[in-house]
């Protein structure tokens, strides 16, 4: 029988809170920070990974409502400040890279 070890690394599955330069107004409240969860393959349906990696606004509008906390709507994503959208998109792009490659990118020699 083959031994299989399953490890869960929740620390890499969720981004650090991203502070927004321009908070999102929702009713009487403002959303000033967003956390992003690493998407599962099913949550990427209908989105080209190439477009997501290139920070396509349309791809981000599709995926962010599925993986943000608090949950952002596509309309809220469309109204975001470009700098905030770029920062969040870059965090999503990091999730598309294998763990070993992420670690190698931060390794100092």
């Amino acid at each position: 029988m083959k031994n299989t070890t399953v490890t869960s690394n929740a620390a890499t599955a969720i981004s650090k809170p991203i502070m927004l330069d321009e908070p999102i107004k929702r009713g009487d409240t403002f959303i000033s920070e967003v956390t992003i969860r690493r998407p599962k393959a099913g949550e990427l349906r209908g989105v080209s990974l190439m477009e997501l990696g290139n920070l396509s606004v349309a791809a981000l509008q599709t995926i962010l409502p599925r993986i943000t906390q608090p949950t952002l709507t596509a309309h809220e994503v469309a109204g975001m400040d470009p700098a905030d959208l770029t920062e969040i998109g870059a965090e999503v792009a990091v999730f598309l890279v294998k763990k070993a490659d992420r670690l190698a990118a931060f390794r100092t020699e």
Side-chain angles (χ1 to χ4, degrees):
M1 182 173 190
K2 182 177 167 184
N3 283 338
T4 305
T5 303
V6 177
T7 58
S8 173
N9 193 349
T12 60
I14 299 176
S15 74
K16 66 184 183 309
I18 298 168
M19 299 300 297
L20 303 177
D21 284 344
E22 297 290 328
I24 298 168
K25 186 171 180 4
R26 181 183 287 169
D28 293 334
T29 62
F30 288 89
I31 299 170
S32 59
E33 74 177 35
V34 176
T35 304
I36 301 168
R37 178 179 47 76
R38 183 183 182 116
K40 300 290 184 188
E43 293 167 319
L44 297 172
R45 71 190 175 286
V47 177
S48 162
L49 294 179
M50 184 67 77
E51 288 179 1
L52 198 54
N54 286 330
L55 305 184
S56 161
V57 173
L60 290 170
Q61 280 181 287
T62 301
I63 193 72
L64 288 179
R66 300 174 186 173
I67 63 171
T68 52
Q69 185 60 33
T71 303
L72 300 179
T73 66
H75 180 72
E76 289 169 334
V77 173
M80 288 181 77
D81 180 84
D84 291 332
L85 184 61
T86 301
E87 183 176 4
I88 289 174
E91 195 68 36
V92 171
V94 168
F95 286 142
L96 301 177
V97 178
K98 289 186 63 79
K99 183 179 176 182
D101 294 336
R102 286 193 310 265
L103 293 174
F106 294 107
R107 193 175 302 141
T108 58
E109 295 183 40

